[in-house]
Amino acid sequence: MAHYILFDTETTGSRDEDRVIQFGAMIIDQKGKIEAFDELCSTDVGIKIEAMEVHNITPDMLEGQVSATQTNFYKRLEELNTNENYIVAHNISFDMGMIEKEGFVNNYKKLDTLRCAKHLFSELPYHRLQYLRYALDLYKTEKAEAAKHGITIKAHDAIGDVLVMKLFLSKLVAKCREIYPDYNPMEKLVELTSTPVYVKKFRFGKYKGKEVAEVAKEDSGYLNWMRTNMDLDEDLKYTLDKVLGTTNDY
């Protein structure tokens, strides 16, 4: 029987040395039974001020807490770590990177709700979880859902974000059934997770708002410079490789 592990981390920052300081998670089985986790954890790495500004977790809150690997969630994460189960996060590469620093070796099927949102809700200008929360009216049902599990909703709080992600996952499954009726929706979402997204328009820089394909025709040198010198996400790298290699196809 498959389990679905929806999780989010709050961390000391986003650099290589940073570590997990909070897990929020919901583990759901196929009968709908839910285990909810909201756990702080200690680390030897100091919390950066910029991180505190986002999640409001301060060093004194971590005093006396167990390490990440000793949390109840991490233990369940290890127990369920097989290929029949699904691990779900919004921008999963970041959260997986954080637990891998704790020694975690993944055997789950990975589902990235951010990448899937870009595929299935491409008409939306942004795909941040808090944007989706309001754009898709998730906020209208979140209080009732939170009450069922004793969860308090707060922006940029791990368990609050997981609950919003759970509601959004239902939207993704429904959209998947609509667009790909012949596929198992969860398996299709796993496939979309590993499929880069073609980015139609730039959302930053001197060509913000312009079609990437048009810029490739007018200023391919700049795009080659971007590809070589900038730290781009996988989707934009994929897009630039496409337009620079086959510009006339777009």
Side-chain angles (χ1 to χ4, degrees):
M1 181 172 67
H3 287 76
Y4 308 91
I5 290 79
L6 286 67
F7 85 111
D8 183 45
T9 61
E10 298 298 345
T11 67
T12 58
S14 57
R15 298 177 188 171
D16 289 344
E17 71 270 16
D18 286 305
R19 294 293 186 270
V20 176
I21 52 174
Q22 184 185 37
F23 285 119
M26 301 179 82
I27 298 177
I28 309 168
D29 68 19
Q30 287 189 321
K31 295 181 179 179
K33 179 184 175 183
I34 292 177
E35 301 171 62
F37 300 85
D38 181 11
E39 298 179 278
L40 293 170
C41 47
S42 64
T43 176
D44 293 334
V45 178
I47 309 173
K48 294 178 173 63
I49 300 296
E50 294 85 354
M52 286 189 235
E53 182 182 16
V54 173
H55 53 51
N56 301 311
I57 300 172
T58 54
D60 58 293
M61 296 168 64
L62 304 184
E63 291 179 7
Q65 303 291 348
V66 299
S67 65
T69 58
Q70 294 302 308
T71 59
N72 292 323
F73 169 68
Y74 191 92
K75 292 174 182 177
R76 285 292 282 150
L77 185 73
E78 290 280 23
E79 288 171 6
L80 296 169
N81 188 17
T82 72
N83 191 248
E84 71 173 353
N85 297 326
Y86 298 80
I87 193 163
V88 184
H90 201 73
N91 190 18
I92 198 167
S93 60
F94 177 81
D95 296 292
M96 291 299 293
M98 282 296 170
I99 59 175
E100 285 166 1
K101 292 178 186 180
E102 304 297 335
F104 182 76
V105 178
N106 182 56
N107 292 313
Y108 290 97
K109 296 174 185 176
K110 291 193 293 186
L111 196 165
D112 184 358
T113 54
L114 174 59
R115 169 75 56 84
C116 292
K118 292 178 180 179
H119 279 295
L120 299 178
F121 293 90
S122 59
E123 74 282 3
L124 294 177
Y126 306 105
H127 300 93
R128 300 183 298 270
L129 190 59
Q130 291 301 313
Y131 183 88
L132 295 168
R133 178 186 183 188
Y134 295 105
L136 300 177
D137 292 337
L138 304 178
Y139 72 96
K140 293 182 178 179
T141 57
E142 67 183 17
K143 288 184 180 179
E145 185 72 20
K148 286 195 291 186
H149 309 293
I151 292 170
T152 300
I153 295 280
K154 291 186 293 183
H156 304 298
D157 174 71
I159 189 60
D161 285 352
V162 167
L163 190 135
V164 174
M165 185 166 58
K166 176 181 181 293
L167 296 173
F168 178 55
L169 181 59
S170 296
K171 294 279 189 182
L172 285 174
V173 168
K175 192 78 167 180
C176 224
R177 285 180 172 143
E178 174 189 327
I179 298 174
Y180 304 104
D182 297 328
Y183 291 82
N184 175 300
M186 292 299 291
E187 293 296 332
K188 188 63 180 179
L189 291 173
V190 169
E191 179 186 330
L192 292 175
T193 292
S194 61
T195 305
V197 176
Y198 178 78
V199 179
K200 293 183 179 180
K201 292 184 179 182
F202 282 109
R203 294 181 179 171
F204 65 90
K206 70 176 184 177
Y207 289 117
K208 183 178 179 180
K210 291 201 68 172
E211 297 276 346
V212 177
E214 290 303 311
V215 176
K217 294 174 183 177
E218 299 167 8
D219 194 356
S220 62
Y222 177 70
L223 298 193
N224 275 303
W225 177 88
M226 284 183 65
R227 185 66 180 85
T228 303
N229 296 286
M230 295 182 69
D231 183 17
L232 307 173
D233 67 26
E234 186 181 2
D235 293 332
L236 193 49
K237 287 178 183 177
Y238 167 79
T239 300
L240 294 185
D241 288 344
K242 294 285 283 187
V243 297
L244 290 169
T246 55
T247 303
N248 293 330
D249 292 340
Y250 292 89

